[in-house]
Amino acid sequence: MFDTKPATFEEALVQYTPMVHHLLKRLRIYKDFDDYIQLGFIALWEAYEKFDPSKGTFSAYAYMTMKGHLLMALKKQIKYEEHNKALNEEFLDAIEADMSRVPLEQEMLYLYYRDLTEGEKTYIHEHIINDRPLQDIAAEHQVKLEAVKWWGRSAKKKLRRVAETLGDH
C-alpha cells in the first residue's frame, strides 16, 4: 500500500480507512460494527503517533497495530459475553429453584393471613414488606393515620397467636 508515513493524521485516515474495513471483514466482525471501526481508527492514530521508520514500513506497522487492537477487543467481548451468559444461567436456575417452593410458601402465608382483615394485610404488605411510611399508606387508602396504626397493632397480635399455634405443632 503506502511505505511512508502520511504527512498528517487526516491523510492517514483517508488512506487507511479501507484497511480498517478490510480487517473487520477478515476478522468477521459484524456485531457492533461502528464501535470496531472507531477502535480501528484509534489504533491507526496510535500507530501514526508511535511509528518508527527505522523498523519498517508504516503500512505494515499500521496493519499490525489495528489488527492487534481489534483482536484484543474481540477477546474482551467474548470473555464478557461468556461471563454474563453464565451469570444469567445461574440466575435462571436460582429462580426455578425458588419457584418449586412457592406452593409451600403460599400455604404457610395462608395460615398466617387467613384471619387478617384487608386493612391488616395492607399494613403487612405496604409497611413491613415494602417499607412505606404509614402516612403514605393512610393517604393512599383515604383513612386516618390512626387507622393504619390500628391495622398494624391488630395484625401483629393475630400473627403472634398464629405463630404460637404453629410452634406448638
Short mmCIF file of all heavy atoms in Angstrom, two decimals, residues 88-124:
data_model
loop_
_atom_site.label_atom_id
_atom_site.label_comp_id
_atom_site.label_asym_id
_atom_site.label_seq_id
_atom_site.Cartn_x
_atom_site.Cartn_y
_atom_site.Cartn_z
N ASN A 88 -26.34 -15.29 33.85
CA ASN A 88 -27.76 -15.35 33.53
C ASN A 88 -28.30 -16.77 33.72
O ASN A 88 -29.40 -16.94 34.21
CB ASN A 88 -28.01 -14.89 32.09
CG ASN A 88 -27.84 -13.39 31.95
OD1 ASN A 88 -27.90 -12.66 32.92
ND2 ASN A 88 -27.60 -12.95 30.73
N GLU A 89 -27.53 -17.79 33.34
CA GLU A 89 -27.98 -19.16 33.53
C GLU A 89 -28.09 -19.50 35.02
O GLU A 89 -29.04 -20.14 35.45
CB GLU A 89 -27.03 -20.13 32.82
CG GLU A 89 -27.18 -20.09 31.31
CD GLU A 89 -26.14 -20.92 30.58
OE1 GLU A 89 -25.34 -21.60 31.24
OE2 GLU A 89 -26.15 -20.89 29.34
N GLU A 90 -27.12 -19.04 35.81
CA GLU A 90 -27.18 -19.27 37.25
C GLU A 90 -28.40 -18.59 37.84
O GLU A 90 -29.10 -19.15 38.70
CB GLU A 90 -25.92 -18.73 37.93
CG GLU A 90 -24.68 -19.54 37.66
CD GLU A 90 -23.43 -18.89 38.24
OE1 GLU A 90 -23.54 -18.00 39.10
OE2 GLU A 90 -22.33 -19.28 37.82
N PHE A 91 -28.70 -17.39 37.39
CA PHE A 91 -29.86 -16.65 37.88
C PHE A 91 -31.15 -17.39 37.56
O PHE A 91 -32.02 -17.53 38.41
CB PHE A 91 -29.86 -15.24 37.27
CG PHE A 91 -31.02 -14.39 37.69
CD1 PHE A 91 -31.11 -13.91 38.99
CD2 PHE A 91 -32.02 -14.08 36.79
CE1 PHE A 91 -32.17 -13.13 39.38
CE2 PHE A 91 -33.09 -13.30 37.17
CZ PHE A 91 -33.17 -12.82 38.47
N LEU A 92 -31.26 -17.88 36.32
CA LEU A 92 -32.47 -18.61 35.94
C LEU A 92 -32.61 -19.91 36.74
O LEU A 92 -33.71 -20.28 37.14
CB LEU A 92 -32.44 -18.93 34.44
CG LEU A 92 -32.61 -17.72 33.52
CD1 LEU A 92 -32.43 -18.13 32.07
CD2 LEU A 92 -33.95 -17.05 33.73
N ASP A 93 -31.50 -20.60 37.01
CA ASP A 93 -31.55 -21.80 37.83
C ASP A 93 -32.04 -21.47 39.24
O ASP A 93 -32.83 -22.21 39.83
CB ASP A 93 -30.17 -22.48 37.90
CG ASP A 93 -29.78 -23.10 36.57
OD1 ASP A 93 -30.67 -23.29 35.72
OD2 ASP A 93 -28.57 -23.40 36.40
N ALA A 94 -31.56 -20.36 39.78
CA ALA A 94 -31.99 -19.96 41.13
C ALA A 94 -33.47 -19.64 41.15
O ALA A 94 -34.18 -20.00 42.11
CB ALA A 94 -31.18 -18.75 41.59
N ILE A 95 -33.98 -18.99 40.13
CA ILE A 95 -35.40 -18.66 40.06
C ILE A 95 -36.23 -19.95 39.98
O ILE A 95 -37.23 -20.09 40.67
CB ILE A 95 -35.71 -17.74 38.87
CG1 ILE A 95 -35.16 -16.35 39.15
CG2 ILE A 95 -37.20 -17.69 38.58
CD1 ILE A 95 -35.30 -15.39 38.00
N GLU A 96 -35.77 -20.91 39.16
CA GLU A 96 -36.50 -22.17 39.06
C GLU A 96 -36.54 -22.88 40.40
O GLU A 96 -37.56 -23.45 40.78
CB GLU A 96 -35.86 -23.06 38.00
CG GLU A 96 -36.17 -22.65 36.59
CD GLU A 96 -35.51 -23.55 35.56
OE1 GLU A 96 -35.09 -24.67 35.91
OE2 GLU A 96 -35.42 -23.13 34.40
N ALA A 97 -35.42 -22.85 41.12
CA ALA A 97 -35.37 -23.50 42.43
C ALA A 97 -36.35 -22.82 43.39
O ALA A 97 -37.04 -23.48 44.15
CB ALA A 97 -33.96 -23.46 42.98
N ASP A 98 -36.40 -21.49 43.34
CA ASP A 98 -37.34 -20.77 44.20
C ASP A 98 -38.78 -21.06 43.83
O ASP A 98 -39.64 -21.17 44.71
CB ASP A 98 -37.10 -19.25 44.11
CG ASP A 98 -35.87 -18.82 44.88
OD1 ASP A 98 -35.35 -19.62 45.69
OD2 ASP A 98 -35.42 -17.68 44.67
N MET A 99 -39.05 -21.20 42.55
CA MET A 99 -40.42 -21.44 42.11
C MET A 99 -40.94 -22.78 42.63
O MET A 99 -42.12 -22.94 42.84
CB MET A 99 -40.52 -21.39 40.58
CG MET A 99 -40.27 -20.00 40.00
SD MET A 99 -41.37 -18.75 40.66
CE MET A 99 -42.87 -19.18 39.83
N SER A 100 -40.06 -23.73 42.81
CA SER A 100 -40.51 -25.04 43.29
C SER A 100 -40.99 -24.96 44.74
O SER A 100 -41.72 -25.82 45.19
CB SER A 100 -39.38 -26.07 43.16
OG SER A 100 -38.32 -25.72 44.03
N ARG A 101 -40.59 -23.91 45.46
CA ARG A 101 -41.00 -23.76 46.86
C ARG A 101 -42.24 -22.90 47.01
O ARG A 101 -42.77 -22.77 48.09
CB ARG A 101 -39.86 -23.13 47.67
CG ARG A 101 -38.66 -24.03 47.80
CD ARG A 101 -37.69 -23.45 48.78
NE ARG A 101 -37.29 -22.11 48.41
CZ ARG A 101 -36.05 -21.72 48.22
NH1 ARG A 101 -35.07 -22.54 48.38
NH2 ARG A 101 -35.78 -20.48 47.90
N VAL A 102 -42.72 -22.30 45.95
CA VAL A 102 -43.82 -21.35 46.05
C VAL A 102 -45.09 -21.96 46.64
O VAL A 102 -45.67 -21.38 47.54
CB VAL A 102 -44.10 -20.69 44.68
CG1 VAL A 102 -45.41 -19.92 44.68
CG2 VAL A 102 -42.95 -19.77 44.32
N PRO A 103 -45.55 -23.15 46.22
CA PRO A 103 -46.79 -23.66 46.81
C PRO A 103 -46.70 -23.81 48.32
O PRO A 103 -47.64 -23.45 49.02
CB PRO A 103 -46.97 -25.02 46.12
CG PRO A 103 -46.26 -24.86 44.82
CD PRO A 103 -45.09 -23.96 45.12
N LEU A 104 -45.60 -24.32 48.84
CA LEU A 104 -45.46 -24.47 50.28
C LEU A 104 -45.48 -23.11 50.97
O LEU A 104 -46.13 -22.93 51.99
CB LEU A 104 -44.16 -25.22 50.62
CG LEU A 104 -43.89 -25.43 52.11
CD1 LEU A 104 -45.02 -26.24 52.74
CD2 LEU A 104 -42.57 -26.13 52.31
N GLU A 105 -44.78 -22.14 50.39
CA GLU A 105 -44.77 -20.80 50.97
C GLU A 105 -46.16 -20.19 50.94
O GLU A 105 -46.58 -19.51 51.89
CB GLU A 105 -43.77 -19.90 50.23
CG GLU A 105 -42.32 -20.30 50.50
CD GLU A 105 -41.33 -19.53 49.65
OE1 GLU A 105 -41.74 -18.70 48.82
OE2 GLU A 105 -40.13 -19.77 49.83
N GLN A 106 -46.91 -20.43 49.87
CA GLN A 106 -48.27 -19.90 49.79
C GLN A 106 -49.16 -20.53 50.86
O GLN A 106 -49.99 -19.86 51.46
CB GLN A 106 -48.85 -20.13 48.40
CG GLN A 106 -48.25 -19.22 47.36
CD GLN A 106 -48.77 -19.50 45.96
OE1 GLN A 106 -49.34 -20.55 45.70
NE2 GLN A 106 -48.55 -18.56 45.06
N GLU A 107 -48.97 -21.83 51.10
CA GLU A 107 -49.74 -22.49 52.15
C GLU A 107 -49.41 -21.88 53.51
O GLU A 107 -50.30 -21.66 54.33
CB GLU A 107 -49.44 -23.99 52.17
CG GLU A 107 -49.98 -24.72 50.97
CD GLU A 107 -49.49 -26.16 50.91
OE1 GLU A 107 -49.04 -26.70 51.94
OE2 GLU A 107 -49.58 -26.75 49.83
N MET A 108 -48.12 -21.62 53.77
CA MET A 108 -47.72 -21.02 55.04
C MET A 108 -48.31 -19.62 55.17
O MET A 108 -48.81 -19.24 56.22
CB MET A 108 -46.20 -20.97 55.17
CG MET A 108 -45.55 -22.33 55.33
SD MET A 108 -46.09 -23.19 56.82
CE MET A 108 -45.36 -22.16 58.07
N LEU A 109 -48.24 -18.84 54.10
CA LEU A 109 -48.81 -17.49 54.14
C LEU A 109 -50.31 -17.55 54.41
O LEU A 109 -50.85 -16.74 55.15
CB LEU A 109 -48.54 -16.75 52.82
CG LEU A 109 -47.15 -16.18 52.65
CD1 LEU A 109 -47.01 -15.55 51.26
CD2 LEU A 109 -46.83 -15.16 53.72
N TYR A 110 -50.96 -18.52 53.81
CA TYR A 110 -52.40 -18.63 54.03
C TYR A 110 -52.69 -18.87 55.51
O TYR A 110 -53.62 -18.28 56.07
CB TYR A 110 -53.00 -19.75 53.18
CG TYR A 110 -54.47 -19.98 53.50
CD1 TYR A 110 -55.41 -19.06 53.05
CD2 TYR A 110 -54.88 -21.05 54.27
CE1 TYR A 110 -56.76 -19.23 53.37
CE2 TYR A 110 -56.22 -21.23 54.58
CZ TYR A 110 -57.15 -20.31 54.13
OH TYR A 110 -58.47 -20.48 54.45
N LEU A 111 -51.89 -19.72 56.15
CA LEU A 111 -52.10 -19.98 57.58
C LEU A 111 -51.99 -18.69 58.39
O LEU A 111 -52.73 -18.48 59.35
CB LEU A 111 -51.10 -21.01 58.09
CG LEU A 111 -51.32 -22.44 57.61
CD1 LEU A 111 -50.16 -23.33 58.07
CD2 LEU A 111 -52.65 -22.99 58.11
N TYR A 112 -51.04 -17.84 58.01
CA TYR A 112 -50.84 -16.59 58.74
C TYR A 112 -51.90 -15.54 58.36
O TYR A 112 -52.33 -14.76 59.18
CB TYR A 112 -49.46 -16.01 58.46
CG TYR A 112 -48.36 -16.68 59.26
CD1 TYR A 112 -47.62 -17.71 58.72
CD2 TYR A 112 -48.08 -16.29 60.56
CE1 TYR A 112 -46.61 -18.32 59.46
CE2 TYR A 112 -47.08 -16.90 61.31
CZ TYR A 112 -46.35 -17.92 60.74
OH TYR A 112 -45.37 -18.52 61.48
N TYR A 113 -52.31 -15.51 57.09
CA TYR A 113 -53.16 -14.44 56.60
C TYR A 113 -54.65 -14.72 56.70
O TYR A 113 -55.45 -13.82 56.55
CB TYR A 113 -52.83 -14.18 55.12
CG TYR A 113 -51.71 -13.20 54.90
CD1 TYR A 113 -50.55 -13.26 55.63
CD2 TYR A 113 -51.84 -12.20 53.95
CE1 TYR A 113 -49.52 -12.38 55.41
CE2 TYR A 113 -50.82 -11.31 53.73
CZ TYR A 113 -49.66 -11.40 54.46
OH TYR A 113 -48.66 -10.51 54.26
N ARG A 114 -55.05 -15.96 56.93
CA ARG A 114 -56.47 -16.29 56.80
C ARG A 114 -57.37 -15.50 57.75
O ARG A 114 -58.51 -15.24 57.44
CB ARG A 114 -56.69 -17.78 56.98
CG ARG A 114 -56.41 -18.29 58.37
CD ARG A 114 -56.64 -19.75 58.50
NE ARG A 114 -56.21 -20.16 59.84
CZ ARG A 114 -55.96 -21.39 60.18
NH1 ARG A 114 -56.09 -22.34 59.29
NH2 ARG A 114 -55.57 -21.67 61.40
N ASP A 115 -56.87 -15.09 58.91
CA ASP A 115 -57.69 -14.36 59.87
C ASP A 115 -57.50 -12.85 59.81
O ASP A 115 -58.10 -12.12 60.61
CB ASP A 115 -57.40 -14.86 61.29
CG ASP A 115 -57.83 -16.31 61.48
OD1 ASP A 115 -58.80 -16.73 60.82
OD2 ASP A 115 -57.18 -17.01 62.27
N LEU A 116 -56.65 -12.37 58.91
CA LEU A 116 -56.38 -10.92 58.83
C LEU A 116 -57.45 -10.21 58.00
O LEU A 116 -57.93 -10.74 57.01
CB LEU A 116 -55.01 -10.65 58.22
CG LEU A 116 -53.78 -11.15 58.96
CD1 LEU A 116 -52.52 -10.77 58.19
CD2 LEU A 116 -53.72 -10.60 60.38
N THR A 117 -57.78 -9.00 58.42
CA THR A 117 -58.68 -8.16 57.62
C THR A 117 -57.90 -7.57 56.45
O THR A 117 -56.66 -7.64 56.41
CB THR A 117 -59.25 -7.01 58.47
OG1 THR A 117 -58.17 -6.13 58.82
CG2 THR A 117 -59.96 -7.52 59.70
N GLU A 118 -58.60 -6.96 55.51
CA GLU A 118 -57.93 -6.33 54.36
C GLU A 118 -56.98 -5.23 54.83
O GLU A 118 -55.89 -5.07 54.31
CB GLU A 118 -58.95 -5.78 53.36
CG GLU A 118 -59.66 -6.86 52.57
CD GLU A 118 -58.70 -7.77 51.81
OE1 GLU A 118 -57.79 -7.28 51.12
OE2 GLU A 118 -58.86 -9.01 51.93
N GLY A 119 -57.40 -4.45 55.81
CA GLY A 119 -56.54 -3.38 56.33
C GLY A 119 -55.26 -3.94 56.95
O GLY A 119 -54.18 -3.39 56.76
N GLU A 120 -55.38 -5.04 57.68
CA GLU A 120 -54.21 -5.66 58.31
C GLU A 120 -53.26 -6.22 57.25
O GLU A 120 -52.04 -6.07 57.36
CB GLU A 120 -54.67 -6.76 59.27
CG GLU A 120 -55.42 -6.21 60.47
CD GLU A 120 -56.22 -7.25 61.23
OE1 GLU A 120 -56.43 -8.36 60.70
OE2 GLU A 120 -56.64 -6.95 62.36
N LYS A 121 -53.83 -6.82 56.21
CA LYS A 121 -52.99 -7.32 55.10
C LYS A 121 -52.29 -6.15 54.41
O LYS A 121 -51.12 -6.24 54.05
CB LYS A 121 -53.84 -8.09 54.10
CG LYS A 121 -54.35 -9.42 54.61
CD LYS A 121 -55.27 -10.08 53.59
CE LYS A 121 -55.91 -11.33 54.15
NZ LYS A 121 -56.87 -11.94 53.21
N THR A 122 -53.02 -5.06 54.24
CA THR A 122 -52.43 -3.87 53.62
C THR A 122 -51.26 -3.37 54.46
O THR A 122 -50.20 -3.04 53.92
CB THR A 122 -53.49 -2.76 53.47
OG1 THR A 122 -54.53 -3.24 52.64
CG2 THR A 122 -52.89 -1.50 52.88
N TYR A 123 -51.42 -3.33 55.76
CA TYR A 123 -50.34 -2.88 56.65
C TYR A 123 -49.11 -3.78 56.47
O TYR A 123 -47.99 -3.28 56.32
CB TYR A 123 -50.80 -2.92 58.10
CG TYR A 123 -49.70 -2.59 59.08
CD1 TYR A 123 -49.42 -1.28 59.41
CD2 TYR A 123 -48.91 -3.59 59.64
CE1 TYR A 123 -48.40 -0.96 60.29
CE2 TYR A 123 -47.88 -3.29 60.51
CZ TYR A 123 -47.62 -1.97 60.84
OH TYR A 123 -46.60 -1.67 61.69
N ILE A 124 -49.31 -5.09 56.47
CA ILE A 124 -48.20 -6.03 56.34
C ILE A 124 -47.48 -5.81 55.00
O ILE A 124 -46.25 -5.67 54.96
CB ILE A 124 -48.68 -7.50 56.45
CG1 ILE A 124 -49.32 -7.77 57.81
CG2 ILE A 124 -47.55 -8.47 56.16
CD1 ILE A 124 -48.39 -7.66 58.98
#
